[in-house]
């Protein structure tokens, strides 16, 4: 499932997109609130995962400063956006290092799977932000140890004790 390509600009606060109901209604009708998105502006493209968030009678999506900077978008610029059904397991791209380490540690993986979907995504994002492959491996190993120790505070999960 995918939406047509449509034009949009950043509204209100500098990090949100006011979504047209006509575009997202087919997703909402199927109870799909997390999607993959493809944004393009002046020949640059960016893919990301996002969620439709309802406030009052409108739907919004976060479009962070990092995405704006990557595409070279300013608040008054119009850019193209398209949504796709997100068929990923966690609703986010999982670094291969994270997957390899997590699946090699059965006990930690079992504990990880008991976390809420949002907590899982947050931890995956935290690991993915490291540019160096070895750092992603080291941080995932640390996460596995902390999960097995019973650490559940997200601020503590990537710290060594």
């Amino acid at each position: 499932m995918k939406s047509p390509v449509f034009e949009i600009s950043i509204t209100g606060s500098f990090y949100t997109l006011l979504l047209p109901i006509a575009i997202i209604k087919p997703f909402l009708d199927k109870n799909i609130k997390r999607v993959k998105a493809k944004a393009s502006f002046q020949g640059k493209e960016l893919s990301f995962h996002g969620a439709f968030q309802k406030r009052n009678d409108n739907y919004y999506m976060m479009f962070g400063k990092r995405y704006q900077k990557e595409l070279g978008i300013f608040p008054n610029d119009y850019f193209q956006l398209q949504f796709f059904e997100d068929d990923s397991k966690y609703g986010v791209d999982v670094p291969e290092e994270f997957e390899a380490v997590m699946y090699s540690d059965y006990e930690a993986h079992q504990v990880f799977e008991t976390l809420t979907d949002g907590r899982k995504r947050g931890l995956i994002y935290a690991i993915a932000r490291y540019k160096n492959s070895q750092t992603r491996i080291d941080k995932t190993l640390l996460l596995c140890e902390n999960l097995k120790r019973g650490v559940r505070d997200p601020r503590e999960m990537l710290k060594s004790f």
Side-chain angles (χ1 to χ4, degrees), residues 35-39 46-50 61 63 81-84:
V35 294
K36 287 183 187 175
K38 183 170 76 173
L46 166 72
S47 293
F48 63 98
H49 293 264
M61 176 177 275
F63 192 73
L81 192 60
Q82 184 176 22
F83 298 128
F84 302 88

Side-chain angles (χ1 to χ4, degrees), residues 30-90:
K30 288 187 165 188
N31 201 30
I32 298 171
K33 293 182 181 146
R34 291 201 61 80
V35 294
K36 287 183 187 175
K38 183 170 76 173
S40 53
F41 181 71
Q42 296 181 345
K44 296 179 187 171
E45 271 190 10
L46 166 72
S47 293
F48 63 98
H49 293 264
F52 302 148
Q53 300 172 350
K54 187 174 185 178
R55 280 187 251 145
N56 302 321
D57 289 328
N58 295 312
Y59 283 89
Y60 296 87
M61 176 177 275
M62 299 303 294
F63 192 73
K65 196 168 191 154
R66 176 174 58 108
Y67 298 150
Q68 294 173 42
K69 186 176 180 182
E70 194 169 325
L71 289 178
I73 294 173
F74 291 97
N76 294 329
D77 290 333
Y78 278 83
F79 60 99
Q80 290 73 44
L81 192 60
Q82 184 176 22
F83 298 128
F84 302 88
E85 186 172 352
D86 184 0
D87 57 359
S88 65
K89 182 173 181 179
Y90 299 114

Side-chain angles (χ1 to χ4, degrees), residues 93-124:
D93 292 326
V94 180
E96 63 184 59
E97 299 89 349
F98 178 89
E99 231 171 25
V101 172
M102 192 57 71
Y103 290 129
S104 71
D105 188 333
Y106 180 78
E107 185 182 348
H109 183 255
Q110 291 300 104
V111 175
F112 180 78
E113 289 299 324
T114 66
L115 302 174
T116 65
D117 291 344
R119 179 72 41 91
K120 291 175 200 172
R121 277 191 299 276
L123 290 169
I124 293 168

